[in-house]
Amino acid sequence: MSDPHLTTYDAPGRPRAMVLALHGGKPRSHQSVDGRSASWRRAAWLTREIAQPAHDEGVGIWLVRYRRRGWNGGTDAVADARWALDRLRAVHGEVPVVLLGHSMGARVAVHAADDPSVVGVVGLAPWWSADDPVHTLAGRTLRAAHGRRDRITSFRETARYVERARRVADSAELEDMGALGHYMLTGSRRWHDVALRSVLEVVDTHVPSPRSAPSTER
């Protein structure tokens, strides 16, 4: 099987940080992912919407399309994310990276967060459980957002995971999205806004914006 597919939205010039977006999937499936995948298309919509305002802050975005649809015990999609992180380093060097994941993509993110380039994770309607690690978030920042009407993944499990992560992460916070569901279709603007805001918050925590640097003029 060929390598994962990458859709790239590079900021002009050298980026001060990059976002690697990770889409959702299924618990088990070895079916190939193509451009018709609903999970990938939802993530593609999100990345298109936030790319320009991210570029305005010096942040580029890459979106991974996994080789297989399934989590499959964590071996497939996590390997694809690590491959993408290696590719990102090959192109942009040692630039700080925020992992932005929806559903299963958020699970992939916390498993791959121990990569040395990663400074934080943003999870949207994440699929997290007691089996997922938090040690990978040591020294990193975690932001999550979850709706109370999600019938696919659990708000309560996300809250439990964030609480565990607080023991090791620099910072871990959960945003309650209220009466929103899993697929980020209803309230799409709110989801896009929280994704962008959370990503930039993580970036600004670890990579101060040039706009906030002290002036050298006297």
Side-chain angles (χ1 to χ4, degrees):
M1 182 174 284
S2 61
D3 289 333
H5 180 271
L6 288 169
T7 303
T8 61
Y9 299 94
D10 286 324
R14 177 172 174 77
R16 69 184 181 106
M18 292 292 297
V19 174
L20 185 64
L22 302 161
H23 64 84
K26 298 181 178 181
R28 293 202 63 83
S29 174
H30 291 279
Q31 184 178 0
S32 297
V33 183
D34 59 27
R36 296 170 295 179
S37 162
S39 295
W40 178 82
R41 290 175 66 184
R42 183 62 188 90
W45 177 20
L46 169 64
T47 53
R48 285 195 305 270
E49 288 292 312
I50 70 173
Q52 186 55 58
H55 288 176
D56 293 342
E57 299 296 328
V59 179
I61 301 180
W62 285 15
L63 168 64
V64 182
R65 191 170 77 208
Y66 315 129
R67 292 167 296 168
R68 298 180 177 87
R69 292 181 185 271
W71 171 248
N72 302 330
T75 57
D76 295 330
V78 174
D80 291 346
R82 294 193 186 279
W83 173 89
L85 286 162
D86 287 341
R87 288 292 306 142
L88 198 155
R89 266 189 296 273
V91 173
H92 290 294
E94 298 294 336
V95 64
V97 179
V98 180
L99 301 178
L100 169 63
H102 172 235
S103 191
M104 187 186 86
R107 190 173 209 183
V108 174
V110 297
H111 282 257
D114 57 353
D115 182 276
S117 294
V118 174
V119 297
V121 168
V122 175
L124 308 175
W127 176 27
W128 290 332
S129 74
D131 296 328
D132 293 312
V134 293
H135 70 272
T136 55
L137 297 169
R140 295 162 173 85
T141 302
L142 177 68
R143 293 292 179 265
H146 212 135
R148 298 274 184 166
R149 289 190 177 177
D150 194 322
R151 299 295 179 262
I152 306 299
T153 57
S154 167
F155 179 94
R156 289 184 178 181
E157 287 294 337
T158 295
R160 292 188 186 104
Y161 182 86
V162 170
E163 190 60 35
R164 285 200 294 128
R166 288 195 176 109
R167 303 170 193 168
V168 297
D170 279 356
S171 172
E173 302 295 337
L174 169 60
E175 181 157 344
D176 187 341
M177 299 295 283
L180 295 183
H182 184 72
Y183 295 107
M184 305 193 302
L185 300 174
T186 301
S188 60
R189 177 62 63 86
R190 284 188 62 201
W191 284 110
H192 297 167
D193 287 348
V194 76
L196 177 66
R197 174 166 44 81
S198 298
V199 161
L200 294 180
E201 184 178 317
V202 175
V203 170
D204 288 343
T205 297
H206 295 270
V207 190
S209 170
R211 299 177 187 179
S212 63
S215 173
T216 58
E217 297 182 5
R218 293 293 186 268

